């Protein structure tokens, strides 16, 4: 930051009272700042023990309010704030703002970082016009447990892919300059390891070795930080028995010292106060002190800082310098956002009117939704023929508009295109039969019977099934990850008709699909596809777009296998090749492998891999090996394939995963077209965290795999010589 600006901020801090400084560290919802509450200590203020002047001194706002209200709140605030420090508005802009893109887990299945970046940019354009400055995104938490409802916000189980997507989101929101009114500052979350909550139960304990944390869980947050994310949010969980929000090692040692992060650290909602429940602070006073010492600059939605920090400083328990440091970071953020120059930065009612849900954004949402869908099974039913006669859409999602998914910002269900609407636009009213059959969680025998009757009249059937979006969100863990209610029964009743049937699934997490997958001729995972969902599904069902999504999270056979993920270790007793062994690592009732592995997804065409070769069998640091493979579209349609390169380190000083994704290329091939795909294998790709946490490669033998997913492919050995 320029000297002059820095000086200005320092002067402001010097002129501030301790009380004013501490207030900057508090984040409150917009209602605290609204004119309605003028001069009155409202209920929530009383509950939080806040004084009246908090609405002219608290530093930031949580939640969007729309351009005009943001302007009003800012004007009123600035008329009362003694130092002319503007408010910063932060909100959860997770997968779109008004135009809603597919949920992040879905977007990641596109394996298309450019499209994801474009979606973040579109979201930033919309949200900033509505007065938002900072988004609480990306969520870089690595996930392995589909019971956890928040896997819908993640980009999957692979640290490399997660890092690419974390970077793409940050690039999209910030667009290289958070000072530009069209861009948002990105707050990467939840630091750290929130995705590893025990048993998939939200907010639960995380107990993880430092090596695992560094090797798998930290890379994506680090990538976001390297990409320039302006803020980071602490997580609710413990790390090594200390809540992340009070964790000096995590926030000061790793984040600030090792990674050189100098942006703002914000607690998650109420997380400062929650360290009391965790049991590392006896009361609010201790919670405030511990969180401040750990380096949390902003306390979200609880008031331990404003209640206790002044007294802690007065009593000599806490150094004022710690508070000055935090306030400086908050003011620097406001400065970088350009708020001192223009406190209304971005907020523009006219632009808001024009840009929110504009055609360009809707188009992008439709494209991204088609790219996110994963074809899990197809016995030849798909794509549907354009000249098809009557088509029945059966199930609770036949005409449901709650398809945006959790954290859908300012998006409205009424603005989403339902599957029925998409299908009617394609086939006309007369050719589309609709029957709900049952609700998501309930249903009667009679409704199921009527749906079967309706299905009988059709030439082909689409079963539209799934979870409610409220089942896959924060505080929405599920112990049974099957289709809820009577949907399986409905599906079986319809499938018994023996008609060409495709099942379309709306959900936010990998589900247990064993029975359904066996019985349905075709299975298309559409996730929560966002505003343009219905249109995008129809694009895929009719083959206007040939699906190319690939799973970024394994689908287990059953919940008893969880966690099941591809980049695991071999046991000392892996599955033997012969069948005479008994004492090896396995279940008696299911395979060790998932139903659908990481990287898996089908197409309406087929691809053949041949001529996998390495240009040399060994390399030294500084050199590279070129791996090449020939991929041919052996089917009759144009299609995209995601060619994946995995590596296994055969012997290390610590155990290495059975496979790790190292690179991939998404290519489009015409029928019969052949392309040679090359990957460079370099020594840095072979590095990992050693026992002492240093990152190094080790000489020895490696296996390179190239193939269509993490469970298939061809392999060749090579050596790293050192
Ligand atoms: C969630 C965060 C979110 C915050 C603000 C919390 O409950 O864990 O992901 O950003 O609320 O809405």
């Amino acid at each position: 930051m320029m000297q002059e600006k820095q000086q200005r901020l320092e002067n402001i801090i010097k002129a501030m009272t301790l009380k004013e400084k501490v207030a900057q560290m508090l984040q409150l919802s917009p209602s605290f700042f609204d004119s309605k509450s003028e001069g009155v200590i409202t209920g929530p203020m009383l509950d939080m023990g806040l004084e009246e002047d908090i609405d002219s001194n608290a530093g930031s706002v949580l939640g969007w309010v729309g351009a005009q209200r943001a302007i009003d709140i800012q004007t009123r605030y600035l008329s009362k704030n003694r130092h002319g420090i503007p408010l910063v508005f932060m909100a959860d802009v997770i997968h779109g703002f008004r135009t809603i893109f597919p949920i992040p887990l879905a977007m990641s299945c596109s394996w298309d970082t450019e499209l994801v970046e474009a979606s973040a940019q579109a979201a930033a354009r919309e949200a900033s016009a509505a007065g938002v400055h900072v988004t609480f995104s990306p969520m870089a938490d690595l996930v392995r447990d589909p019971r956890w409802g928040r896997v819908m916000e993640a980009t999957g189980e692979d640290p490399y892919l997660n890092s690419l997507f974390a970077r793409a989101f940050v690039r999209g929101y910030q667009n290289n300059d958070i000072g530009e009114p069209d861009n948002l500052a990105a707050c990467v979350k939840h630091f750290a390891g929130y995705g590893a909550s025990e048993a998939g139960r939200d907010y639960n304990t995380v107990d993880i070795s430092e090596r695992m944390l560094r090797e798998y869980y930290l890379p994506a947050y680090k990538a976001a930080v390297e990409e320039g994310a302006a803020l980071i949010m602490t997580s609710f969980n413990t790390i090594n028995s200390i809540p992340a929000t009070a964790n000096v090692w995590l926030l000061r040692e790793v984040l600030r010292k090792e990674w050189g992060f100098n942006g703002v650290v914000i607690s998650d909602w109420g997380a400062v106060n929650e360290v009391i429940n965790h049991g590392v602070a006896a009361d609010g006073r201790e919670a405030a002190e511990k969180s401040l010492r750990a380096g949390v600059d902003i306390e979200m939605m609880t008031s331990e800082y404003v209640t206790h920090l002044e007294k802690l400083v007065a009593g000599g328990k806490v150094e004022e310098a710690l508070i000055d440091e935090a306030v400086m970071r908050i003011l620097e953020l406001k400065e970088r956002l350009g708020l001192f120059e223009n406190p209304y930065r971005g907020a523009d009612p006219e632009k808001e009117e024009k840009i929110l849900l504009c055609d360009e954004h809707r188009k992008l949402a439709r494209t991204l939704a088609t790219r996110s869908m994963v074809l899990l099974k197809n016995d030849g039913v798909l794509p549907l023929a354009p000249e098809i006669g009557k088509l029945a859409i059966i199930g609770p999602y036949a005409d449901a508009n709650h398809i945006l998914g959790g954290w859908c910002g300012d998006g409205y269900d009424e603005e989403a295109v339902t599957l029925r609407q998409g299908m009617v636009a394609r086939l006309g009213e007369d050719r589309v039969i609709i029957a709900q059959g049952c609700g998501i969680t309930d249903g009667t025998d009679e409704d199921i019977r009527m749906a079967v009757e309706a299905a009988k009249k059709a030439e082909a059937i689409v079963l539209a099934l799934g979870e409610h979006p409220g089942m896959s969100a924060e505080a929405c863990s599920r112990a049974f990850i099957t289709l809820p209610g009577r949907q399986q029964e409905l599906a079986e009743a319809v499938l018994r008709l023996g008609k060409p049937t495709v099942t379309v699934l709306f959900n936010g997490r990998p589900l247990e699909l064993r029975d359904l997958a066996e019985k349905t001729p075709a299975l298309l995972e559409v996730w929560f596809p966002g505003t343009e969902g219905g249109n995008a599904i129809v694009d895929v069902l009719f083959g206007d777009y040939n699906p190319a999504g690939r799973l970024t999270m394994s689908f287990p056979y059953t919940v008893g296998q969880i966690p099941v993920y591809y980049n695991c270790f071999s046991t000392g007793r892996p599955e033997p090749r012969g069948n005479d062994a008994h004492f090896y690592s396995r279940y008696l009732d299911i395979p060790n492998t998932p139903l659908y592995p990481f990287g898996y997804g089908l197409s309406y065409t087929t691809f053949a891999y041949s001529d996998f070769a390495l240009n040399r069998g060994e390399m030294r640091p500084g050199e590279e090996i070129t791996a090449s493979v020939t991929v041919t579209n052996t089917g009759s349609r144009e299609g995209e394939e995601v060619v994946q390169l995995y590596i296994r380190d055969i012997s290390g000083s610590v155990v290495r995963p059975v496979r790790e994704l190292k690179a991939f290329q998404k290519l489009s091939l015409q029928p019969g077209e052949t392309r040679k795909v090359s990957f460079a294998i370099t020594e840095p790709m072979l590095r990992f965290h050693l026992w002492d946490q240093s990152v190094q490669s080790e000489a020895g033998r490696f296996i390179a795999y190239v193939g269509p997913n993490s469970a298939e492919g061809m392999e060749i050995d090579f050596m790293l010589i050192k």
Side-chain angles (χ1 to χ4, degrees):
M1 190 168 297
M2 274 158 48
Q3 195 74 39
E4 191 187 312
K5 288 185 174 170
Q6 191 71 29
Q7 192 56 53
R8 181 166 82 184
L9 302 185
E10 277 167 23
N11 292 344
I12 293 177
I13 292 182
K14 272 194 209 125
M16 289 169 88
T17 62
L18 181 55
K19 187 176 179 191
E20 286 169 336
K21 287 192 258 188
V22 171
Q24 276 298 315
M25 300 166 72
L26 173 64
Q27 175 158 99
L28 293 172
S29 61
S31 56
F32 284 89
F33 302 91
D34 263 331
S35 52
K36 281 170 247 125
S37 59
E38 184 140 32
V40 187
I41 300 184
T42 57
M45 278 191 191
L46 273 181
D47 290 348
M48 289 174 76
L50 298 175
E51 294 175 19
E52 205 180 289
D53 60 357
I54 201 70
D55 68 350
S56 51
N57 288 310
S60 54
V61 185
L62 168 84
W64 71 93
V65 290
Q68 192 53 54
R69 197 167 146 213
I71 293 170
D72 294 345
I73 288 177
Q74 189 74 288
T75 306
R76 183 169 173 279
Y77 180 87
L78 282 172
S79 72
K80 294 171 49 176
N81 183 284
R82 285 201 314 135
H83 307 281
I85 306 170
L87 275 169
V88 51
F89 288 79
M90 308 194 186
D92 291 281
V93 181
I94 308 294
H95 52 115
F97 181 68
R98 181 67 163 269
T99 311
I100 303 301
F101 300 100
I103 54 170
L105 185 61
M107 282 204 258
S108 69
C109 293
S110 70
W111 294 53
D112 189 330
T113 53
E114 277 171 32
L115 266 185
V116 168
E117 183 177 333
S119 81
Q121 228 170 78
R125 277 196 295 271
E126 290 193 356
S128 57
V132 180
H133 309 133
V134 172
T135 174
F136 295 131
S137 173
M139 181 175 113
D141 306 330
L142 181 138
V143 290
R144 291 173 173 175
D145 194 328
R147 289 171 297 185
W148 193 45
R150 302 197 76 168
V151 302
M152 54 93 29
E153 295 170 63
T155 53
E157 71 191 35
D158 182 70
Y160 169 69
L161 211 50
N162 283 347
S163 301
L164 294 182
F165 282 117
R167 284 181 187 276
F169 276 112
V170 173
R171 277 199 306 273
Y173 295 131
Q174 301 198 161
N175 208 4
N176 283 320
D177 184 1
I178 63 168
E180 277 296 311
D182 260 3
N183 303 338
L184 296 177
C187 174
V188 56
K189 68 188 185 186
H190 306 84
F191 194 62
Y194 185 30
S197 303
E198 274 179 5
R201 179 156 53 80
D202 206 359
Y203 317 122
N204 204 4
T205 305
V206 169
D207 192 3
I208 197 169
S209 72
E210 184 178 343
R211 226 189 68 73
M212 283 303 210
L213 187 70
R214 287 184 182 272
E215 189 73 10
Y216 289 95
Y217 289 85
L218 294 189
Y221 311 105
K222 184 162 187 250
V225 166
E226 283 171 2
E227 200 63 46
L231 301 90
I232 200 160
M233 186 189 292
T234 65
S235 55
F236 288 123
N237 54 279
T238 50
I239 287 289
N240 207 9
S241 306
I242 299 179
T245 307
N247 200 311
V248 177
W249 173 78
L250 189 66
L251 302 181
R252 295 237 183 237
E253 285 301 312
V254 176
L255 178 66
R256 296 233 185 257
K257 272 210 200 117
E258 276 182 39
W259 299 359
F261 178 72
N262 54 18
V264 168
V265 175
I266 183 168
S267 79
D268 201 348
W269 182 304
V272 169
N273 168 275
E274 285 173 22
V275 306
I276 305 172
N277 283 342
H278 277 295
V280 300
D283 50 26
R285 198 165 160 269
E286 210 181 335
E289 181 180 349
K290 286 204 160 168
S291 305
L292 178 71
R293 288 207 181 282
V296 174
D297 303 316
I298 299 180
E299 178 181 5
M300 186 195 289
M301 293 303 289
T302 47
S303 51
E304 305 308 348
Y305 277 9
V306 284
T307 311
H308 301 290
L309 286 185
E310 258 185 285
K311 280 178 239 149
L312 284 165
V313 172
K317 283 283 280 178
V318 160
E319 311 81 85
E320 191 164 351
L322 281 176
I323 291 165
D324 288 352
E325 192 191 302
V327 175
M328 180 51 101
R329 281 195 283 261
I330 296 164
L331 296 190
E332 275 170 1
L333 174 68
K334 295 181 178 187
E335 176 65 59
R336 286 182 63 204
L337 283 163
L339 287 167
F340 282 98
E341 267 66 47
N342 177 11
Y344 308 105
R345 167 206 187 278
D348 181 342
E350 258 173 50
K351 188 168 173 197
E352 189 183 31
E353 188 65 36
K354 265 213 318 255
I355 201 167
L356 267 55
L357 211 64
C358 64
D359 287 349
E360 188 196 333
H361 293 176
R362 285 197 91 124
K363 212 168 139 218
L364 181 61
R366 183 165 177 169
T367 303
L368 198 38
T370 59
R371 270 47 174 192
S372 302
M373 293 173 189
V374 187
L375 182 63
L376 296 173
K377 181 180 177 186
N378 187 14
D379 282 356
V381 181
L382 287 174
L384 298 173
E387 61 280 2
I388 194 162
K390 278 198 183 335
L391 184 114
I393 313 180
I394 310 288
Y397 273 99
D399 194 22
N401 61 12
H402 47 77
I403 58 172
L404 302 181
W407 296 110
C408 52
D410 194 27
Y412 298 94
D413 288 351
E414 308 81 70
E415 289 167 353
V417 180
T418 71
L419 180 49
R420 183 192 68 81
Q421 288 166 342
M423 197 61 85
V424 165
R426 173 89 191 201
L427 295 179
E429 292 276 0
D430 296 352
R431 288 159 75 193
V432 181
I433 300 167
I434 299 289
Q436 207 185 307
C438 65
I440 290 175
T441 53
D442 55 7
T444 62
D445 290 350
E446 179 56 13
D447 286 344
I448 293 180
R449 196 191 60 77
M450 276 164 57
V452 173
E453 286 309 310
K456 281 184 185 162
K457 301 189 191 107
E459 196 178 304
I461 301 164
V462 175
L463 275 166
L465 312 174
E467 294 180 297
H468 191 274
M471 292 175 157
S472 188
E474 185 178 346
C476 296
S477 298
R478 294 181 67 203
F480 299 100
I481 53 167
T482 45
L483 274 176
R486 303 188 66 181
Q487 295 184 73
Q488 178 75 26
E489 242 179 280
L490 171 70
E492 290 183 15
V494 170
L495 286 163
R496 272 196 293 274
L497 297 175
K499 297 201 178 222
T501 304
V502 40
T503 303
V504 170
L505 286 175
F506 296 75
N507 49 297
R509 54 157 64 79
L511 293 174
E512 194 175 314
L513 298 174
R514 200 168 70 250
D515 290 342
L516 186 64
E518 223 170 80
K519 290 174 182 143
T520 183
L523 193 53
L524 181 68
E525 177 58 73
V526 303
W527 310 106
F528 291 116
T531 309
E532 283 289 323
N535 286 331
I537 297 167
V538 171
D539 290 343
V540 170
L541 292 179
F542 285 93
D544 299 348
Y545 176 71
N546 183 354
R550 302 290 182 261
L551 296 178
T552 56
M553 199 178 171
S554 306
F555 274 47
Y557 269 93
T558 183
V559 81
Q561 271 182 316
I562 296 171
V564 58
Y565 51 94
Y566 90 94
N567 44 2
C568 57
F569 292 162
S570 169
T571 64
R573 295 189 181 191
E575 205 158 340
R577 287 186 195 262
N579 54 6
D580 51 349
H582 180 73
F583 293 100
Y584 64 91
S585 179
R586 62 166 171 163
Y587 298 100
L588 295 177
D589 39 13
I590 45 160
N592 289 352
T593 47
L595 177 62
Y596 299 118
F598 175 87
Y600 173 85
L602 302 172
S603 162
Y604 297 153
T605 190
T606 46
F607 298 96
Y609 285 68
S610 59
D611 305 326
F612 181 33
L614 304 184
N615 69 335
R616 52 202 286 196
E618 51 184 57
M619 70 170 174
R620 290 168 198 281
E623 298 175 346
E624 69 177 51
I625 294 177
T626 305
S628 58
V629 66
T630 301
V631 183
T632 305
N633 180 345
T634 48
S636 54
R637 284 176 170 264
E638 179 188 355
E640 290 166 323
E641 173 71 334
V642 181
V643 183
Q644 301 163 36
L645 173 79
Y646 296 88
I647 291 182
R648 176 171 187 175
D649 186 343
I650 288 301
S651 158
S653 53
V654 294
V655 174
R656 309 289 297 118
V658 294
R659 274 191 189 201
E660 285 178 296
L661 181 71
K662 292 293 176 183
F664 63 90
Q665 281 179 42
K666 190 169 179 176
L667 48 136
S668 177
L669 295 176
Q670 295 297 326
E673 190 183 345
T674 285
R675 187 120 22 109
K676 188 170 163 181
V677 178
S678 300
F679 297 101
I681 300 176
T682 60
E683 178 270 335
M685 287 162 87
L686 309 179
R687 294 181 193 166
F688 58 97
H689 288 86
L690 272 57
W691 175 247
D692 64 359
Q693 311 305 345
S694 65
V695 180
Q696 296 176 43
S697 63
E698 290 176 342
R701 192 162 74 88
F702 294 79
I703 304 177
Y705 302 85
V706 161
N709 59 59
S710 63
E712 292 176 59
M714 297 178 283
E715 55 178 89
I716 309 183
D717 285 25
F718 67 93
M719 298 289 293
L720 175 68
I721 318 263
K722 283 178 99 173

